[in-house]
Amino acid sequence: MLKLIHQHLEEVLKIKKVDLAIIGAGPVGLFAAHFAHLHGLSNLIFDSLSEVGGQPQMLYPFKQISDIPAYNTISGTALIQNLKSGLPKETEIITNHKVNDVKKSDDGFILDDMVLAKSIIIATGAGAFKPKELPLKMNEDIQKRVHYFIKDPKDFANQKIGVFGGGDSALDLAIELANYTNVKIIHRRNEFRGLESNVKKLRSLANVEILTPYLPKDIQLVNNQLDITLKGMGDVQPRHERFDQIIVAYGFKANNRFVKKWGIELNGTNIAVDPTMKTNIDGIYAAGDVVSYPGRVPLIALGFGEAQIAITSIMRDLFPEKTLTIHSTSI
């Protein structure tokens, strides 16, 4: 009876059938789709963001990444473009869609009544992330000049730019923007949380001014510029600064707790997996920064390997009768 219900549901909703559904279109999710294709697994990708690439594309597209094998350095954007170019043209990527419902079926899993997948890989990284916003009242005209993501630093050339934050993202942004314009970086403490080498580099740049310890207290639009009142911490006196635009790098709120309603066990905010990258639910795997196991370090390259382990495990589960070929030169 249950099978008949599922068959009827598939006919009514015209559910797409695949061997593998990948949740997350960051670098690990994109590579998982490529590796699955090498093994002949039909697959599609879901992502809650409006474009693929995850954190490298959204948070640091221009940053040079130095720990990807075979590249001395590669920018976040270039890495994502290379991963996308490795996908077959028929690969379907569904963006702007956060998977909410996963139901167990006789034939696998039904995701949001859209897709019937024999297996799932969760590759959501740190999770669906939202920027921590500037805690000030702002009208629409002001909000247009307040940014949380940057696609191209050249767009800010020859403007007065303020960067708010004290972590690696804020320091990276300030360093990159300083190639094109004058920058002031504002932080609530005298000490930064980011790399000391980046702090030293910023202090050495003539067109960068570091303002500490200050918090933004008020923001107004005056003579087509942002007039910002900065509250000094401790005995430091307040001051006013004017910028054409500002970038807020206070970090992001992210979590993967939404998978708990699917019955998946977490270890803190991450997904617990066994050595085959399987979760506590048969048929559902995870790879990348979403997973947790002893000794793991949050590296993109490690996530690539975890995706390969997961897909190898999926092949053994779905096709136990086959002699599994591991190396790409033999596929």
Side-chain angles (χ1 to χ4, degrees), residues 193-266:
R193 293 177 287 106
L195 291 173
E196 183 60 30
S197 59
N198 282 343
V199 177
K200 289 181 179 179
K201 183 172 183 177
L202 285 171
R203 294 189 188 281
S204 71
L205 298 175
N207 62 330
V208 173
E209 184 176 355
I210 296 176
L211 303 179
T212 61
Y214 291 99
L215 280 175
K217 184 179 180 181
D218 184 64
I219 186 168
Q220 303 291 332
L221 190 60
V222 179
N223 296 328
N224 207 33
Q225 282 189 313
L226 296 175
D227 185 286
I228 300 180
T229 303
L230 298 177
K231 175 186 176 182
M233 306 301 290
D235 296 331
V236 178
Q237 295 299 307
R239 63 188 291 166
H240 285 267
E241 293 290 338
R242 286 199 175 182
F243 301 107
D244 295 307
Q245 303 190 69
I246 65 171
I247 294 94
V248 180
Y250 284 160
F252 293 81
K253 300 175 182 178
N255 69 77
N256 285 293
R257 295 187 184 278
F258 64 92
V259 302
K260 286 185 70 175
K261 62 184 178 182
W262 306 342
I264 292 176
E265 293 179 358
L266 297 179

Side-chain angles (χ1 to χ4, degrees), residues 300-311:
I300 294 173
L302 183 62
F304 292 159
E306 291 165 347
Q308 291 174 306
I309 292 172
I311 288 163

